[in-house]
Amino acid sequence: MPTRREILIGALAAGAAMHMRTGYAKASQPATPVNFDIPAGACDCHTHIHGDPETFPYFSGRVYTPETALPEEMSALHKALNIERVVIVTPSVYGPDNSATY
């Protein structure tokens, strides 16, 4: 049976071997309307913004390359879901650089 360490190393190796995307799609938006009442002041407590990689380059040691998810797209998503507040978290693809989240 593989050890936890072997599984983690294998997962990292698989991620590193994945094909890097060259084109960037727009972030997915909801297609189904919310059919229930969202509580007032509802908060998405964990969301990411992935800016233009030309402006905010990704960390070279990342294990995946996300599609772009711009602030305007995030705002449209939260508006469609009736979410009033959000907590933006810097994704791991930026490594120690938090400038895309400012």
Side-chain angles (χ1 to χ4, degrees), residues 3-94:
T3 66
R4 181 172 181 241
R5 177 183 292 270
E6 291 169 334
I7 291 171
L8 289 173
I9 290 171
L12 288 172
M18 289 176 62
H19 182 277
M20 298 289 190
R21 278 193 229 179
T22 56
Y24 296 95
K26 291 186 77 169
S28 301
Q29 295 294 311
T32 305
V34 177
N35 61 1
F36 56 91
D37 291 332
I38 302 292
C43 181
D44 179 345
C45 64
H46 187 121
T47 190
H48 298 292
I49 293 174
H50 299 119
D52 177 3
E54 295 289 323
T55 306
F56 301 104
Y58 297 131
F59 172 58
S60 62
R62 71 187 181 282
V63 296
Y64 72 100
T65 299
E67 65 184 36
T68 57
L70 303 175
E72 300 81 15
E73 294 168 324
M74 182 186 73
S75 182
L77 171 67
H78 288 117
K79 184 176 181 180
L81 296 174
N82 300 315
I83 301 291
E84 295 179 16
R85 302 175 303 140
V86 299
V87 176
I88 300 171
V89 179
T90 301
S92 64
V93 296
Y94 293 115

